[in-house]
Amino acid sequence: MRDLLELFQLGGFVLPILILLAIVSLAIVGNRFWVLRRARIAPADLAARAGDLIEAGKVQQAVKVLYENDTPLARMMLVALQQVGQPREVIKEVVEESGRHEVAHLDRYLNFLGSIAGVAPLLGLLGTVFGIMHAFAAIGMVGAGDPKALAGGISEALITTASGLIVAIPSLMFYRYFKGRVDVLVLAIEKEALKLVNLLVGGGAQ
């Protein structure tokens, strides 16, 4: 504990900021892992249940099933059902527009996570600059012959540089991972919703 406190003090004013960013980054990662589960986005049996009801002519029951499942897939399928009687291209366009709105919801916090990945190394660099400034200030006061006088500034420079990278690298990796996951999930729910479009226009599921 004492070593951690000393490390915290050596990091200067930049280190607490980086620690705060690390905590925020972890919170976003945890939240996105919870939210971007396939079961929360596109339940496995939802499209099949709704499609079977529609094929049986039980459209109102299908609507009820979708309303009871407040998921992106259910919302997109409801949008499609609201366009019954419209040409296929019109329904498809409305579904794709709904998909774009769902992307915005699924992308929530990811831009901030990407910003952390970009800002953390810059903060580390800022801490490095201040550490070097402190080291040169020590040289000016006691000369270059006393290594202890330089240790504080050099430690600050190294600690903040390393901390910035430690925060940035995982944040960037998770940002890229979640962006890709959102794209995969949205394509999956659009595919299921478009199958429903085919049913609505009498083309059959493809």
Side-chain angles (χ1 to χ4, degrees), residues 41-59:
I41 306 301
D45 63 338
L46 179 59
R49 288 169 58 200
D52 289 344
L53 289 169
I54 290 168
E55 284 187 313
K58 301 176 181 179
V59 177

Side-chain angles (χ1 to χ4, degrees), residues 84-160:
V84 172
Q86 297 292 332
R88 184 183 189 282
E89 290 305 315
V90 172
I91 302 175
K92 182 178 178 182
E93 184 177 342
V94 172
V95 167
E96 289 175 348
E97 177 64 26
S98 174
R100 286 189 284 271
H101 286 292
E102 294 299 337
V103 168
H105 174 71
L106 297 177
D107 268 347
R108 192 179 182 189
Y109 306 129
L110 290 187
N111 285 337
F112 192 57
L113 183 62
S115 296
I116 290 174
V119 168
L122 297 178
L123 285 170
L125 180 61
L126 179 64
T128 301
V129 171
F130 278 108
I132 292 172
M133 289 171 61
H134 293 157
F136 275 110
I139 290 174
M141 292 177 63
V142 301
D146 186 359
K148 291 183 179 179
L150 304 178
I154 295 172
S155 296
E156 180 179 351
L158 294 176
I159 290 168
T160 53

Side-chain angles (χ1 to χ4, degrees), residues 20-33:
L20 177 61
L21 290 179
I23 293 170
V24 173
S25 179
L26 284 172
I28 293 173
V29 168
N31 174 269
R32 292 298 91 184
F33 266 123

